[in-house]
Amino acid sequence: MEKDLKFPTFECMISNTVEQYDSDVEMYFIKNQELSTRLAELRFSDPEFKENYEKMLNYLKELSHSIVYKTEPPTHQFLIDLCMGPEDEGDTLKLLMESKDRVVPQLIRSSLIVREMMFWFVRMSKIPSFSEGFTVDRFQGFSFLRLALVYRALKINGN
C-alpha cells in the first residue's frame, strides 16, 4: 500500500505542465506569498506608510497575474518615485545593529525576500517552459521594490 503512495503534483498554468511541489516555480510563488504577508504586517507596524505597502501588495498581485497569464506587467512608477533622493543604501548590518524601532528589521527582512524573489525569477527565466512568463520586462520593478523598503528603513532609523 505504501509503495503506491506518490507525492502530489499541481498543474502549472504558466508552463501547462504537471509539476512537483519541489519545482522552482513553486519556490518563487512561496517567496511572493511570504513577502505579501510581511507587507501586510508592515501596514500595521508602520501605519504612516500604509498606503505604499498596499500599493506594493497590489503590484505583487498584478505581477503574478502578468506572469501566469502573460499579460503586460504592472507599472512600477510608484516604486521609482519612492526611491527618489540620495542613492545610498548604507550598511544594512550597521542599520540593523543601530535600529531602535522594530519596523527597521521587518523592512530589511522584506527587502531580502525581494532579493530572493529576484533570484528565483531569473532562474525561472532560464527554464524554457517558464521563460515566457518570467521575462525581463516583468522583472524591472524588483530592484525598486527592494530599494524602497531599504530607504524606508533608513528613514525610520533617522539616517
Side-chain angles (χ1 to χ4, degrees):
M1 180 108 177
E2 203 171 300
K3 287 187 246 178
D4 296 333
L5 292 177
K6 294 181 181 178
F7 286 107
T9 58
F10 64 94
E11 291 184 36
C12 181
M13 294 176 66
I14 301 167
S15 62
N16 293 316
T17 58
V18 175
E19 296 290 322
Q20 298 274 334
Y21 277 95
D22 65 348
S23 170
D24 288 348
V25 75
E26 184 72 358
M27 185 53 77
Y28 171 81
F29 285 104
I30 288 170
K31 290 298 171 183
N32 184 69
Q33 281 299 109
E34 184 180 1
L35 178 61
S36 297
T37 302
R38 299 271 180 175
L39 293 173
E41 290 171 342
L42 281 163
R43 291 182 307 163
F44 302 107
S45 302
D46 184 15
E48 180 185 325
F49 211 64
K50 178 181 179 180
E51 186 178 315
N52 290 312
Y53 297 126
E54 289 172 349
K55 287 180 183 177
M56 291 173 187
L57 284 165
N58 193 53
Y59 173 77
L60 290 173
K61 179 183 175 189
E62 290 178 6
L63 180 61
S64 290
H65 185 274
S66 175
I67 291 167
V68 171
Y69 296 102
K70 296 151 187 106
T71 59
E72 287 296 313
T75 181
H76 60 275
Q77 184 59 49
F78 78 98
L79 294 169
I80 294 170
D81 295 343
L82 288 174
C83 295
M84 288 299 154
E87 293 185 30
D88 183 17
E89 293 181 52
D91 180 346
T92 53
L93 183 56
K94 183 178 177 193
L95 175 65
L96 288 168
M97 291 171 64
E98 293 174 352
S99 67
K100 293 172 181 55
D101 190 314
R102 64 189 166 97
V103 174
V104 171
Q106 291 172 354
L107 285 160
I108 297 302
R109 177 63 187 131
S110 296
S111 75
L112 290 172
I113 297 169
V114 175
R115 186 61 193 88
E116 288 179 277
M117 289 177 70
M118 293 165 78
F119 169 89
W120 290 108
F121 194 105
V122 170
R123 180 172 279 191
M124 298 311 305
S125 74
K126 295 175 182 176
I127 301 172
S129 59
F130 293 106
S131 62
E132 192 178 333
F134 291 87
T135 59
V136 173
D137 59 330
R138 291 188 183 103
F139 183 84
Q140 297 306 304
F142 282 119
S143 295
F144 296 103
L145 176 55
R146 189 193 66 74
L147 201 55
L149 294 167
V150 172
Y151 282 2
R152 181 65 182 159
L154 288 166
K155 182 171 188 203
I156 288 172
N157 209 49
N159 297 36

